[in-house]
Amino acid sequence: MVKAVIFDMDGTLIDTEKYYRIFWPMALEHFGYEMTDEQALSMRSLGQPYAPQHLKDMFHDPDMDYNKIRAYRRKIMEEHLEKVGIELKPGAIEILTYLKEKGIHRAISTANDIERAEKYLKKIGLYGYFDKIICAPMVEHGKPAPDVYEFACSELKLEPEECMAVEDSPNGVKSAYSAGCKVVMVPDLTQPDEELKKMLFACVDRIDEIKSIV
């Protein structure tokens, strides 16, 4: 029986993942690097300590200043979001309302820090729907390691098999699967490959379709 649903945030509940695809290459170009679209997609939901090393490996530059590049990416992306706003993914309100009415716990598991996660959730009116907000900086290893989902389950006082994780990216799916959660994927920028499909409890087109499988 599913007692809690743990949601990724970017690309799953809010339509922001597409901006990382735009602003990572822009930030890297600012510092003299050229990032392909495929490389940008590989950064999705990638947490510490994996993201810095991943970038250094991609560009064969062990001295790359990840923190400076990331800070610039966050700055230009935040400036853009202030102008255009943040959009909800289709079905987000519907599924959260349904779960709340059914008494099923709701939590967030995100690569964002707590300040940014709370800011986004409050801005789009979702903050009050969640029992717990779990962020990658709260654990030693971010996604695709299982730490953030294991911590979410412990905070909810539930076993992983009692929790359903909802993700949009390969790194997020791998994290939740490794933690022992039932994983539902709502593809955003890419579809799951054959390896990823083996990790999924289900794959749905819209997030509110989870109502039929909870």
Side-chain angles (χ1 to χ4, degrees):
M1 179 181 177
V2 174
K3 297 182 179 180
V5 179
I6 307 171
F7 295 88
D8 171 56
M9 190 172 73
D10 290 290
T12 302
L13 289 172
I14 60 177
D15 195 14
T16 46
E17 198 73 71
K18 61 189 179 186
Y19 296 120
Y20 292 97
R21 188 178 188 174
I22 295 169
F23 289 104
W24 267 120
M26 286 180 63
L28 282 154
E29 183 180 13
H30 181 76
F31 290 94
Y33 301 92
E34 186 177 346
M35 182 183 234
T36 66
D37 187 55
E38 183 179 357
Q39 289 172 327
L41 286 171
S42 72
M43 295 294 293
R44 288 178 298 158
S45 294
L46 198 62
Q48 296 276 10
Y50 308 108
Q53 191 59 50
H54 184 57
L55 270 185
K56 291 175 182 180
D57 290 344
M58 278 197 299
F59 293 98
H60 309 289
D61 184 358
D63 298 318
M64 173 185 278
D65 193 335
Y66 171 81
N67 290 328
K68 184 179 287 188
I69 295 169
R70 180 173 179 265
Y72 183 73
R73 191 271 301 159
R74 289 179 70 167
K75 175 181 176 293
I76 58 176
M77 182 169 159
E78 282 294 308
E79 289 172 350
H80 182 75
L81 289 176
E82 287 297 323
K83 293 177 183 177
V84 303
I86 300 173
E87 296 178 47
L88 283 171
K89 297 291 285 186
I93 290 289
E94 289 89 338
I95 186 60
L96 290 170
T97 301
Y98 175 82
L99 295 173
K100 192 171 185 177
E101 290 173 349
K102 292 293 183 181
I104 297 173
H105 295 292
R106 289 95 40 219
I108 286 283
S109 168
T110 177
N112 282 286
D113 57 55
I114 187 66
E115 180 183 2
R116 193 170 303 274
E118 290 185 346
K119 175 185 174 181
Y120 285 177
L121 292 171
K122 287 175 181 177
K123 184 173 287 190
I124 56 178
L126 294 186
Y127 183 78
Y129 282 96
F130 295 99
D131 303 303
K132 297 289 181 179
I133 299 173
I134 308 301
C135 300
M138 297 177 180
V139 297
E140 184 176 358
H141 299 99
K143 301 173 186 181
D147 302 31
V148 70
Y149 275 102
E150 291 175 343
F151 185 56
C153 294
S154 69
E155 286 290 290
L156 291 165
K157 296 180 172 55
L158 295 171
E159 296 299 319
E161 56 266 27
E162 296 177 302
C163 299
M164 177 176 287
V166 185
E167 281 280 355
D168 72 292
S169 71
N171 286 321
V173 168
K174 291 172 185 176
S175 174
Y177 180 79
S178 297
C181 300
K182 298 178 176 70
V183 190
V184 175
M185 186 176 186
V186 188
D188 182 29
L189 301 179
T190 56
Q191 294 293 320
D193 59 20
E194 292 306 314
E195 178 186 359
L196 211 64
K197 287 178 181 178
K198 296 175 184 177
M199 303 179 189
L200 299 177
F201 181 76
C203 186
V204 297
D205 293 325
R206 279 174 53 104
I207 198 168
D208 54 341
E209 292 175 13
I210 295 169
K211 289 190 291 186
S212 64
I213 55 178
V214 172

